Amino acid sequence: MKTIIKSLAAIIILIFGGCATRYPMGLDEKTWQALPPSERAKLQAKQAQIDARLKLAAERHRHEERMRQLEIEKEKQERISALYRRAGYKDIVRVNIEGGCYRIYKKCEPYRPISVIVALNETKKVPLVMRYGTEYIWIRYDEHGVAIDDDADLDDFDAALLLPERWERGRHYRLFLQDPYRKGKTTLTNARVFVRYFPTAVTTSNCR
């Protein structure tokens, strides 16, 4: 409760503080009003130059940050693409999800079955296409198994984790995704999940 009160107080200060008149070069109202028009014009021009430099620096920083994020994403995709090209045993899984329904408020809607392949340490955002709309689930495959959730936070308490178990021939699971906003309720409900290591040349030779 204390945290909420502090947050509300900070918001109020920002709202009302933002309405106060801002004078060039950090001057207060009394000092500003005492200046002659010619001096005010000089200070306004100087403040405009400072504001322009700050704006340019902020835009440059945003551009550099965006480029950095794009480079990180590019490197990640390149690693995953390389893994797909030289995939070996247990490097890729196929995940099939069908049946059950996706609960939206009081209705539980059927959805189109999905089948995706996921590489080790890859996360995929997968659409659940329904009659009147689309929802999404996230699927990640890593050394712990296959994690599935209806939001991007696959490490939270309500994500489903399917542990590796006889995936050479495939294994079936029942899936219920907990709704974090409604206690005891689910979103994806009573779905059938099938997980199997994706066949590769290496997999085939190792299973003979």
Side-chain angles (χ1 to χ4, degrees), residues 6 22 29 48 56 59 65-66 72 99 104 106 108-110 137 144-145 170 177 197 206:
K6 289 180 180 179
R22 175 175 173 264
E29 182 179 7
L56 182 62
E59 290 176 350
E65 181 63 21
R66 183 170 179 271
I72 291 174
I104 304 176
K106 294 183 179 181
C108 205
E109 301 287 343
I137 62 171
H144 303 296
L177 292 182
Y197 291 128
N206 285 345

Side-chain angles (χ1 to χ4, degrees), residues 102 114 124-130 133-139 148-152 177 187-188:
Y102 192 93
I114 61 175
K124 282 191 173 180
K125 181 181 179 182
V126 183
L128 284 180
V129 180
M130 291 168 283
T134 301
E135 296 290 338
Y136 292 89
I137 62 171
W138 282 256
I139 302 175
I148 305 174
D149 204 354
D150 51 11
D151 60 51
L177 292 182
T187 51
L188 187 58

Side-chain angles (χ1 to χ4, degrees), residues 158-178:
D158 60 343
L161 179 61
L162 310 180
L163 301 177
E165 187 177 3
R166 299 195 299 274
W167 286 356
E168 294 83 0
R169 298 184 178 181
R171 181 170 174 80
H172 290 90
Y173 301 86
R174 284 286 177 177
L175 180 63
F176 295 82
L177 292 182
Q178 299 300 314

Side-chain angles (χ1 to χ4, degrees), residues 92-97 114-118 139-141 145-148 161-175 192-199:
I92 300 175
V93 293
R94 178 180 292 281
V95 181
N96 298 339
I97 303 177
I114 61 175
S115 180
V116 296
I117 57 173
V118 188
I139 302 175
R140 181 182 67 202
Y141 172 44
V146 170
I148 305 174
L161 179 61
L162 310 180
L163 301 177
E165 187 177 3
R166 299 195 299 274
W167 286 356
E168 294 83 0
R169 298 184 178 181
R171 181 170 174 80
H172 290 90
Y173 301 86
R174 284 286 177 177
L175 180 63
R192 298 188 300 274
V193 182
F194 180 74
V195 182
R196 184 176 184 179
Y197 291 128
F198 188 73

Side-chain angles (χ1 to χ4, degrees), residues 64-78:
E64 291 174 352
E65 181 63 21
R66 183 170 179 271
M67 291 297 101
R68 189 179 72 86
Q69 293 298 328
L70 288 175
E71 187 64 27
I72 291 174
E73 184 63 26
K74 180 182 177 182
E75 291 176 357
K76 178 181 176 182
Q77 291 302 320
E78 287 176 349

Side-chain angles (χ1 to χ4, degrees), residues 27-40:
L27 297 180
D28 57 58
E29 182 179 7
K30 183 178 179 180
T31 304
W32 176 255
Q33 296 297 340
L35 293 174
S38 59
E39 189 64 25
R40 291 185 189 179

Side-chain angles (χ1 to χ4, degrees), residues 40-94:
R40 291 185 189 179
K42 291 179 182 179
L43 292 177
Q44 285 174 328
K46 188 174 182 179
Q47 184 66 60
Q49 292 177 350
I50 293 173
D51 291 345
R53 287 197 296 269
L54 291 174
K55 182 180 179 181
L56 182 62
E59 290 176 350
R60 185 183 298 114
H61 175 74
R62 286 194 295 268
H63 176 73
E64 291 174 352
E65 181 63 21
R66 183 170 179 271
M67 291 297 101
R68 189 179 72 86
Q69 293 298 328
L70 288 175
E71 187 64 27
I72 291 174
E73 184 63 26
K74 180 182 177 182
E75 291 176 357
K76 178 181 176 182
Q77 291 302 320
E78 287 176 349
R79 288 196 301 270
I80 292 174
S81 297
L83 180 58
Y84 274 107
R85 288 194 299 270
R86 57 174 184 268
Y89 183 53
K90 297 184 179 182
D91 283 341
I92 300 175
V93 293
R94 178 180 292 281

